[in-house]
Amino acid sequence: MNLTAKLIPIVLFALVSCGNPVEVIVPEGTVSDSMMVKILTDFHLVEGAKVGNKIMGDTIPATVYTAKVYQKYNLTEAEFEKSFRFYTSNPDLMEGIYEKVIENLNKIEATAPRSPVQDDIMREQTTIARPLGEITKKINAQKDSLSNTMKESQEE
């Protein structure tokens, strides 16, 4: 096979690829891109609060919070998965969605007051931190006491 025969398919592919963008038809039953932005934003908030399979400072599994996101948008997991597969198979659409998701997450992070979920997480962290702070104070007091006792015994 000569070089020309090898180059023809490559050139044809390049010409077709450089043509006008093809309009993507969104299948019926697919979540709209604006709704997908909201759903993915919520999922990332849940994911960001997760440690292992639980939400920080909580005993409820993260799957419960995920189910709440589906419930909030009146959506089943199967419907979401179908829509997610569609958007991931169309990278240009998914890129636009994730640009907006990142924008949303940045706004949420920068704004005050915080959402009730964030407030709950902070309240839990404070509840956990308070006893830890008291324990740390007791340990430091015991260290100081032990250190003073050792100094006194060395002086004698």
Side-chain angles (χ1 to χ4, degrees), residues 54-108:
K54 308 255 189 223
I55 299 296
M56 287 184 343
D58 201 344
T59 57
I60 300 172
T63 53
V64 172
Y65 291 97
T66 303
K68 291 288 185 188
V69 173
Y70 292 131
Q71 182 182 7
K72 177 180 178 180
Y73 295 101
N74 197 25
L75 194 64
T76 67
E77 185 175 354
E79 291 169 327
F80 171 77
E81 289 295 328
K82 176 186 172 201
S83 298
F84 191 76
R85 275 194 303 278
F86 167 74
Y87 286 113
T88 55
S89 67
N90 293 282
D92 289 339
L93 294 176
M94 192 58 138
E95 182 179 1
I97 288 171
Y98 261 99
E99 285 173 358
K100 292 174 185 167
V101 168
I102 291 168
E103 257 178 53
N104 287 349
L105 293 172
N106 286 335
K107 285 178 189 174
I108 290 168

Side-chain angles (χ1 to χ4, degrees), residues 3-155:
L3 184 59
T4 306
K6 290 180 182 178
L7 286 177
I8 289 175
I10 294 171
V11 171
L12 286 175
F13 177 75
L15 288 174
V16 171
S17 298
C18 294
N20 293 333
V22 177
E23 186 175 328
V24 178
I25 297 172
V26 179
E28 190 173 324
T30 301
V31 174
S32 70
D33 59 344
S34 60
M35 185 63 67
M36 197 65 161
V37 168
K38 294 175 184 177
I39 295 166
L40 289 173
T41 299
D42 284 351
F43 278 143
H44 283 290
L45 289 172
V46 169
E47 190 66 30
K50 249 176 53 170
V51 175
N53 66 352
K54 308 255 189 223
I55 299 296
M56 287 184 343
D58 201 344
T59 57
I60 300 172
T63 53
V64 172
Y65 291 97
T66 303
K68 291 288 185 188
V69 173
Y70 292 131
Q71 182 182 7
K72 177 180 178 180
Y73 295 101
N74 197 25
L75 194 64
T76 67
E77 185 175 354
E79 291 169 327
F80 171 77
E81 289 295 328
K82 176 186 172 201
S83 298
F84 191 76
R85 275 194 303 278
F86 167 74
Y87 286 113
T88 55
S89 67
N90 293 282
D92 289 339
L93 294 176
M94 192 58 138
E95 182 179 1
I97 288 171
Y98 261 99
E99 285 173 358
K100 292 174 185 167
V101 168
I102 291 168
E103 257 178 53
N104 287 349
L105 293 172
N106 286 335
K107 285 178 189 174
I108 290 168
E109 184 178 38
T111 59
R114 292 135 70 105
S115 72
V117 171
Q118 289 173 317
D119 287 341
D120 288 346
I121 290 169
M122 289 305 294
R123 198 172 8 266
E124 284 296 325
Q125 288 176 337
T126 303
T127 303
I128 292 167
R130 193 176 311 120
L132 289 176
E134 291 170 10
I135 292 169
T136 303
K137 286 179 187 175
K138 287 180 183 177
I139 289 172
N140 287 337
Q142 288 175 350
K143 281 183 184 177
D144 291 342
S145 174
L146 183 61
S147 178
N148 289 339
T149 305
M150 291 180 72
K151 282 181 184 177
E152 289 173 1
S153 66
Q154 287 177 351
E155 291 174 357

